[in-house]
Amino acid sequence: MTTHTAPPPQATAVKPPRRIFLTILHLAAVGVIGGVIFTMLAGVLGTGLGLLFAFGIGLVLLVGLVYALFGLGWFEIARVGALYDSPIAPLRLRQRDRPGFGGWLRSVGRQAVDGRMWRAVANFAIAAILGFIVLRLFWALVWSIFISFAPLTDAGSVIGPFGGGGIAVEWAPLVGILGIVASAAGILGLALLHRTLSLAIVIRSRETELTERVRTTTAQREGAVRAADVERTRIERDLHDGVQPRLVSVGMTLGLAQQKIDNDPDAAKELIAEAHTSTKAAITELRQLARGIHASVLDDRGLDAALSALAGRSHIPVVLDVRMDGRCSREAEAAVYFSIAESLTNAAKHSRASEARVTVRLREGNTLWARVEDNGMGGAQVQPGGGLDGIANRILAAGGTFRLESPHGGPTSLEVNVPCAS
């Protein structure tokens, strides 16, 4: 899930001269590269539309154009946020809402009409235009300084800083000074204009940000409620189908042993031994059920150790690749741990997999990413109340994202991203 953070009030305050100077440098750089970038994007758009019905080549170009626009929007949001010290949430790709190629196309379509991306691209276009003007004014400033000293040369006239006809050399110092003032004022005004427009276009209003935050919080709360309901149903099912019948069998076996203990001691001993074996099996099942509710090793030794223990208990071989520098919050690690545990259980029970691979990374110091892939027969789908539904709800409650790919014939892969500060 993408959570946007409202900018603090000081983000729109007057900036010191250093900030203005950095803004001018930004505009100059964008003015140089902006024309090249938009020329290339326009070329890709024209070629894609022209080849739209030529064996799908145009469609590939148009999809690439969407990702290019996303990259441009991501860069612009990062640039504005760094320039004005505003905590803007980074632009994120739209996630798939269903597995397969169709789900991917739907995510590309939603990305193509993403308003936040287009606002960032529009802001970059405006910055490119302002940057081009800044470059022109900078040249006028340099030329104004030059013509201010024209009387020291043998020239009879000079060209003005903004073009036009020749200027008599005796008027050159006055025109040069006016050109310096006008060019510097124009550059400063464009820098201030860029700041105002960027804060208005890229950084949305506080009310909108708070509304988005409320929506995100509501979705997380609903996910937490659904995850708790799915987990409660799973515990009830495991108790009813596993431990409860075994304990009933133990009680019946002990009852038979009690009846035979006087007349047939040997048979009673066998029944007691059978009840003892069933009792140990019930204890094992209860321990496994408790691990499904709370993994104590996760708190004591961290996610790496907990996943190692989980892989050791798996019914299929698991290749584990965990690389983490540091630890996340307990909520984030627990969400990822139980997602991996449920995925391995599904792989062993339903997909007929002979091997699974688990990869975990701590990305950029604030996002916990995990991927589980098995070589089973595929075809997994999120069913209400099922294990995958529980994973999706648990990850949503932790403020993360969930993606499932399981084409018929396999393989099945599941990816989760959870913010460490969830």
Side-chain angles (χ1 to χ4, degrees), residues 122-414:
N123 192 75
F124 184 85
I126 295 173
I129 296 173
L130 296 180
F132 176 79
I133 300 175
V134 165
L135 291 173
R136 181 64 183 87
L137 290 175
F138 180 75
W139 171 251
L141 176 63
V142 173
W143 186 248
S144 297
I145 296 174
F146 176 77
I147 66 176
S148 297
F149 298 94
L152 301 179
T153 65
D154 296 332
S157 64
V158 293
I159 300 175
F162 301 101
I167 301 173
V169 71
E170 56 269 18
W171 292 98
L174 177 61
V175 174
I177 294 174
L178 293 177
I180 293 173
V181 174
S183 301
I187 293 174
L188 180 62
L190 290 177
L192 296 176
L193 177 62
H194 173 263
R195 186 191 69 187
T196 302
L197 293 177
S198 296
L199 296 179
I201 296 174
V202 176
I203 306 177
R204 295 187 290 179
S205 66
R206 184 172 180 83
E207 291 76 13
T208 305
E209 295 293 339
L210 291 177
T211 301
E212 183 71 20
R213 186 179 300 179
V214 169
R215 290 176 181 174
T216 301
T217 303
T218 301
Q220 291 180 354
R221 186 184 67 246
E222 293 175 352
V225 172
R226 290 197 301 270
D229 185 64
V230 171
E231 186 69 11
R232 178 184 58 80
T233 303
R234 182 187 68 82
I235 295 173
E236 291 178 350
R237 183 181 64 247
D238 291 345
L239 288 174
H240 183 270
D241 297 340
V243 179
Q244 180 179 335
R246 192 176 295 278
L247 291 178
V248 171
S249 176
V250 169
M252 294 177 62
T253 302
L254 290 176
L256 291 175
Q258 185 179 15
Q259 295 176 4
K260 293 180 177 294
I261 195 169
D262 294 329
N263 301 327
D264 193 353
D266 294 334
K269 290 181 181 180
E270 293 179 358
L271 290 172
I272 292 174
E274 179 182 345
H276 181 253
T277 302
S278 297
T279 302
K280 291 193 293 183
I283 292 174
T284 301
E285 291 183 6
L286 285 173
R287 285 176 177 173
Q288 293 177 349
L289 183 61
R291 290 194 190 101
I293 301 173
H294 173 71
S296 57
V297 67
L298 187 64
D299 294 333
D300 298 336
R301 300 172 56 191
L303 183 60
D304 193 354
L307 292 178
S308 298
L310 182 64
R313 297 193 304 268
S314 176
H315 296 290
I316 60 176
V318 177
V319 178
L320 193 61
D321 182 9
V322 180
R323 301 178 190 176
M324 295 180 58
D325 296 328
R327 295 194 61 177
C328 286
S329 64
R330 184 192 180 281
E331 292 77 11
E333 291 188 352
V336 171
Y337 171 82
F338 287 112
S339 299
I340 295 174
E342 184 64 30
S343 299
L344 294 178
T345 300
N346 290 341
K349 287 185 177 180
H350 307 299
S351 70
R352 301 177 186 174
S354 61
E355 185 184 43
R357 182 178 184 86
V358 176
T359 307
V360 180
R361 296 287 187 273
L362 186 59
R363 290 182 169 178
E364 300 177 359
N366 58 5
T367 301
L368 188 58
W369 173 85
R371 176 184 176 90
V372 183
E373 183 174 2
D374 66 64
N375 60 352
M377 61 182 182
Q381 294 182 351
V382 179
Q383 302 290 343
L388 293 176
D389 186 38
I391 293 177
N393 291 326
R394 186 185 287 270
I395 295 299
L396 176 62
T401 59
F402 162 92
R403 188 177 72 176
L404 173 68
E405 292 183 0
S406 184
H408 290 284
T412 296
S413 64
L414 180 142

